Amino acid sequence: MAMIINGKEIAANVKREVAAEVEQLKAQGFEPGLAVVLVGDNPASRVYVNNKKKDCAEVGFASYEYTLPAETTEAQLLDLVAKLNADPKVNGILVQLPLPKHICEQTILHAISPSKDVDAFHPENVGRIMIGDYSFLPCTPAGVIEMLDSIGTEIAGKHCVVIGRSNIVGKPMAMLLLHRNGTVTICHSRTQNLAQQTKQADILIAAVGKADFVTADMVKPGAVVIDVGMNRNAEGKLVGDVAYDEVEKIASAITPVPGGVGPMTRAILMRNTLTAAKQQLLK
Ligand code: GUN
């Protein structure tokens, strides 16, 4: 029976720390603010944006929501980003992905000022993550590291296997584990003998986007298993990438879905917004 890693509880601790600092900033007359931009009516995105607004209220940030119609042009969205870049009340900017197909995500993400890029998606911030000199941590990978730390898992020297190579999770995840001296393998859809690779993992991180993808026969007994997946199964239930019921029997620790990595991603976004606000205040 694995220890269940309670993401909600660990995230609540992170948010408490952020809230305490926000209180101090407010006492000095400064209220940090996060702008969240949603284009179109993707229902999952709507839920994510609502959650971010709730988190802002909880830690004491002002939140500024911009909901734009799906027909918004790239030029109109660029105009809004430029306005937010120049607005001193806005310390962090988050443009919710995915964007409608006629808008180039890369163009938009590149237009966000790196100093307000609390997602850490701008190439300048991505490059800084690569060389280990960063102020904004990529939210989901940083949340995973925070979880590993909070249960006392040593990363240095461990074999860490990341399944998935996305720019948002897989690649930055591998980089953060490497910075902590893990030995890192990145697996993806073209990896041969995947189970042979994943069975080597002391720390296994699944970021695939397929329900029940990681089965017990792919996991080394005693491994720490982190499930980044958020999928709907055939019954419409929210599930991760890991076949939880069977893997939980052999892992030493495992994250649930929901209540695992998701709340951590949100908490790190709050921490990044605080970091942005403090840096802008010092300027
Ligand atoms: N859509 C899904 N996850 C994310 C995220 O972490 N940031 C943004 N901006 N959009 C997302």
Side-chain angles (χ1 to χ4, degrees):
M1 283 277 282
M3 168 199 178
I4 298 166
I5 308 171
N6 188 336
K8 265 195 192 163
E9 205 172 280
I10 304 163
N13 291 337
V14 172
K15 285 192 279 185
R16 253 195 300 279
E17 286 167 20
V18 172
E21 282 202 56
V22 172
E23 208 173 316
Q24 287 178 8
L25 290 176
K26 281 184 160 172
Q28 297 163 37
F30 182 74
E31 183 185 42
L34 174 68
V36 181
V37 181
L38 174 62
V39 185
D41 46 17
N42 180 320
S45 292
R46 181 72 260 170
V47 172
Y48 293 144
V49 167
N50 288 347
N51 285 339
K52 282 162 191 159
K53 275 166 58 187
K54 257 189 246 163
D55 291 332
C56 283
E58 198 181 321
V59 301
F61 292 151
S63 65
Y64 308 101
E65 183 187 323
Y66 295 84
T67 307
L68 307 178
E71 317 76 72
T72 302
T73 65
E74 190 174 286
Q76 285 168 330
L77 186 54
L78 283 170
D79 277 351
L80 174 60
V81 169
K83 193 178 115 204
L84 297 174
N85 282 341
D87 185 343
K89 289 200 304 301
V90 172
N91 303 112
I93 302 170
L94 183 140
V95 177
Q96 187 66 32
L97 304 179
L99 289 169
K101 292 219 165 17
H102 64 277
I103 300 179
C104 173
E105 283 185 356
Q106 214 178 18
T107 302
I108 302 301
L109 296 179
H110 290 200
I112 295 173
S113 163
S115 64
K116 296 189 176 184
D117 170 37
V118 285
D119 264 324
F121 289 168
H122 189 283
E124 182 179 318
N125 289 323
V126 174
R128 291 177 63 154
I129 290 161
M130 186 85 177
I131 58 175
D133 163 30
Y134 40 77
S135 40
F136 298 134
L137 293 157
C139 296
T140 298
V144 171
I145 298 283
E146 188 84 30
M147 287 176 123
L148 294 172
D149 284 346
S150 82
I151 61 161
T153 300
E154 177 73 36
I155 300 169
K158 295 286 176 61
H159 196 157
C160 310
V161 176
V162 180
I163 322 175
R165 55 174 158 181
S166 71
N167 289 333
I168 294 183
V169 182
K171 284 186 216 168
M173 185 75 252
M175 216 36 75
L176 296 196
L177 291 164
L178 187 59
H179 292 326
R180 295 288 295 270
N181 298 310
T183 300
V184 185
T185 302
I186 307 177
C187 298
H188 46 81
S189 53
R190 302 290 290 271
T191 297
Q192 294 183 354
N193 300 321
L194 179 64
Q196 197 182 319
Q197 298 291 339
T198 58
K199 261 196 154 317
Q200 305 293 318
D202 302 307
I203 300 170
L204 179 61
I205 297 173
V208 186
K210 286 187 185 154
D212 293 335
F213 185 84
V214 176
T215 45
D217 57 310
M218 296 167 71
V219 178
K220 175 159 100 176
V224 174
V225 179
I226 307 285
D227 190 347
V228 181
M230 288 252 245
N231 314 293
R232 296 269 165 202
N233 69 5
E235 292 94 55
K237 195 175 145 220
L238 186 67
V239 296
D241 292 343
V242 176
Y244 184 89
D245 291 345
E246 55 183 87
V247 173
E248 179 264 340
K249 293 190 177 79
I250 59 165
S252 64
I254 189 167
T255 61
V257 178
V261 174
M264 294 305 300
T265 300
R266 292 165 51 186
I268 303 294
L269 176 70
M270 296 299 110
R271 190 192 270 164
N272 281 350
T273 305
L274 173 66
T275 302
K278 288 198 294 190
Q279 284 177 355
Q280 287 158 41
L281 192 60
L282 288 174
K283 276 207 179 128

